Each structure stands twice: as structure tokens, then as C-alpha cells.
């Protein structure tokens, strides 16, 4: 067959498969299988750790929810739980501390700007 002045041989295109040593091919296959199993093992370990961390988080959130339910039941009975009182007093102290910090910064800035 002549195409564009060149003689073309009939048959398959591309590379011809090289003669591969059967033992080498089997060894490569075994190595690939070992690597695949190792990747699979790592993936499962990662997923197990992820599941256990999520389960711990769920337990912690359930405990927190139960605590809030108990607080609500106590407040429905007219009692203020000591934890809420502590939060409120801590919040008030935090606001007072923030205000004093802001005042100290303002005084410091004023002193720095008035000194040449």
C-alpha cells in the first residue's frame, strides 16, 4: 500500500509488546498487590480513628445536652443552678476587666502622645 509516496505495511499500529519475563511480571504483580493491601490497611485505620473520634464527640455533646436539660428543669422549678450563677458572675467580672484594660491602654496612649 502506497500513501503519499510512502510504503505502508499492513498490520497493527503502535509499539509491539516486548517479550516480558514471566517471573519478573509475577513479581511486579505481587509487589503491586502488597502495596494495594498496605494502602487499604492505612485507609481502614484512618477511617476507624475518624469514627472513634466522632463517637467521642457525640458522647461529649450528649452529656452537654443532658446538663442543659437539667439546668432548664431546675430553672422551670425556680432554681438557678450554681453553674449559671458562676457564668453570670464570671461574665460580669470579665466585662469589668475588659473596661479596666481599655482604660489602662487609653491612659498609656495618652501619656505616650503627650511626651515629646
Amino acid at each position: 500500500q502506497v500513501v503519499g509516496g510512502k510504503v505502508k505495511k499492513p498490520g497493527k499500529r503502535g509499539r509491539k509488546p516486548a517479550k516480558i519475563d514471566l517471573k519478573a511480571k509475577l513479581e511486579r504483580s505481587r509487589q503491586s498487590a502488597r502495596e494495594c493491601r498496605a494502602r487499604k490497611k492505612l485507609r481502614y485505620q484512618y477511617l476507624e480513628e475518624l469514627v472513634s473520634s466522632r463517637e467521642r464527640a457525640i458522647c461529649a455533646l450528649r452529656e452537654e445536652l443532658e446538663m442543659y436539660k437539667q439546668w432548664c428543669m431546675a430553672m422551670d422549678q425556680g432554681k438557678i443552678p450554681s453553674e449559671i450563677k458562676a457564668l453570670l458572675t464570671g461574665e460580669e467580672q470579665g466585662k469589668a476587666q475588659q473596661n479596666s484594660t481599655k482604660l489602662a491602654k487609653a491612659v498609656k496612649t495618652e501619656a505616650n502622645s503627650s511626651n515629646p
Side-chain angles (χ1 to χ4, degrees):
Q1 203 175 17
V2 177
V3 177
K6 295 182 181 178
V7 177
K8 235 180 175 187
K9 295 180 184 178
K12 297 181 182 177
R13 287 202 230 170
R15 275 173 138 177
K16 292 184 181 178
K19 300 281 181 181
I20 299 175
D21 186 21
L22 188 58
K23 287 184 181 180
K25 186 176 180 180
L26 285 173
E27 185 55 38
R28 279 200 313 271
S29 177
R30 288 185 191 113
Q31 180 63 28
S32 177
R34 279 192 291 270
E35 291 170 1
C36 180
R37 286 190 295 271
R39 285 191 305 269
K40 184 177 179 181
K41 185 177 178 180
L42 284 173
R43 185 171 51 248
Y44 274 89
Q45 286 175 348
Y46 166 74
L47 290 173
E48 288 290 333
E49 289 172 8
L50 194 63
V51 166
S52 65
S53 71
R54 294 292 203 271
E55 287 174 345
R56 285 192 302 272
I58 289 170
C59 288
L61 289 170
R62 283 192 176 136
E63 289 174 6
E64 188 177 354
L65 179 63
E66 188 59 36
M67 178 184 67
Y68 290 141
K69 283 181 181 178
Q70 290 174 358
W71 287 6
C72 289
M73 288 191 311
M75 286 191 287
D76 287 344
Q77 295 171 357
K79 301 173 187 173
I80 299 176
S82 59
E83 294 91 347
I84 293 179
K85 287 180 183 176
L87 285 173
L88 292 174
T89 56
E91 190 175 287
E92 290 171 3
Q93 289 174 354
K95 285 182 183 178
Q97 191 175 21
Q98 285 177 352
N99 289 338
S100 65
T101 305
K102 285 180 185 177
L103 181 63
K105 284 182 182 178
V107 168
K108 199 176 205 181
T109 306
E110 176 93 18
N112 288 341
S113 63
S114 63
N115 287 338

